[in-house]
Amino acid sequence: MSANKTQQHSQQLLTGSEVLLQCLLMEGTECVFGYPGGNVLYIYDAMVDNPDFKHILTRHEQGAIHAADGYARSTGKAGVCIATSGPGATNLVTGIATAYMDSVPLVIITGNVSTTVMGTDAFQEADIVSMTMPITKHNYSVRDVHDLPRIVHEAFHIANTGRKGPVLIDIPKDVSNHKMLYHPSNKLSIRGYNATPSADPTEIDKLLQVIAESEKPVIIAGAGVIYSDASTELLDFVNKTKIPVATTLLGLGGFPSGHELWLGMPGHHGTYTANTAIQNADLILSIGSRFDDRVTMKLDGFAPHAKWIAHIDIDPAEIGKNIKTDIACVGDIKAVLEYANTKAMPSKSSSWIDKVQKDKSMYPLRYTDSDKELKPQFVIEMIYETSKGEAIITTDVGQHQMWTAQFYKFNHSRSLVTSGGSGTMGFGFPAAIGAQIGNPDRLVISINGDGGMQMCAQELAICAIHNIPVKIVVINNQVLGMVRQQQELSYESRYSQISLAGSPDFVKLAEAYGVKGLRAGNKAEAYSVWKEALETTGPVLVEFVVPTSENVYPMVLGGTTLDQMIMGDFE
């Protein structure tokens, strides 16, 4: 928005709705995802006369917030969504929890009933502020329109600083129509909010001394590396200290997968090399990873030979929460690593590196390929090879998510958009729409299972209407695959309620929305239809029909330690 327009608006008497839109534009908002309803109609009415404001009407509020989430994860900017009161707001709750668990910056605007009827159980009234307190970084209930510029400015600052997260702004209908003389807010004074604590140099020096003494160090790099834009600093740090690196699911891309010291993903479906290295390490250094249960598995058996556990994280609440920590560097990861790189010395890890590289060579990720059936791992490898690892990949949740994490090689930050902590089915496809809006010149590929695809399939309409060129992959094994695998391995193959028989013909479903649909059931068809999809300028849905019985390996069962991996056919 031009300076003249800003000055013009700042001298006008505007409604709260008009003020809200100007504030969002002032914060650099490129696109808002939303769904209107009675108590946000003043806000939507203000959009009619504001050609600078871009809004995409999703087909469900959950689609709106997942799209905003995908936009945020792939760009590093705060995603924004709008919903009305009552069911509109409550339909956002799953998406808010998803963003909160994974520290994603969102600003969520909800409408509410007028202040004059609040507390009377008015039509579509819901106390969304109270409902979302446990799953937001902060939230606001706007009672005075004059507070709106300050609140919006604070919300963006809180969402996208420190440990990032979602912030909710609830605006009653009458407040959205009250008028005020608009003055942009550019001041920040938030009592008690210390976004980025400065790390103690003595702790970093202590860490560097321990590294110099360690013989079997391992770094576990998580999403914090990506969120702090510290990938370059991490690479420099690893090259100086000679420490092998395992990247968590959300940390994939934060360290290049082609690097000789990359071990793969650790944990529940981690690589043999990463899990074995952690179990034999004398130093574990977590950088922006929170030691979650899918990484550590059985806590009292995690890294039993580690003399030191060190943790670099911006959130002091994560230090020692799950694993007892010996060295704590609380601060922004980029700043900590920049300081560390001025003094870093190599560890005594030459023999250790030889060992982990031998393991990496002897125990690669493998699967039993077939010329008769189309294996899902083959599909992921084909997608990687044809995109040369340069695409933004979004996934839903399930087996396809783990196969993507294993067989697609991520070399760049913000190349993987997936729901980690919450494991939200229905996330992947709308997140891809948001990622494509935020990265119009990038290839965006949405990889889904046949279960999760049906949870937000209605957003196909958005791709068709706006010609959003997402390539939508459906790995169709006709079953809730991850549940089936757990029932097979942990419940003596007593299968219960996992069949997805009766699912739609995904090709016809895509075509019904005006999106090209393609299908493959063998390798030759896979190559052919995927080539056609990539050569198509608009959105395409490609269904790959794969075996129902295929499992994800390695796998560490609940209640067991990382070195107790089930290797499948290669036991």
Side-chain angles (χ1 to χ4, degrees), residues 198-218:
S198 297
D200 182 354
T202 59
E203 282 293 295
I204 304 175
D205 291 341
K206 181 180 176 182
L207 171 61
L208 294 176
Q209 181 60 42
V210 165
I211 288 173
E213 296 172 6
S214 68
E215 298 178 357
K216 298 180 179 180
V218 171

Side-chain angles (χ1 to χ4, degrees), residues 16 65-66 70 99 104 136 143 197 289 313 349 380 403 430 511 515 533 542 555 563:
I65 193 163
H66 290 333
V104 178
T136 52
R143 299 305 178 94
S289 171
D313 204 290
S349 60
I380 303 302
W403 283 317
E511 291 171 346
V515 172
V542 185
M555 182 180 185
D563 49 359

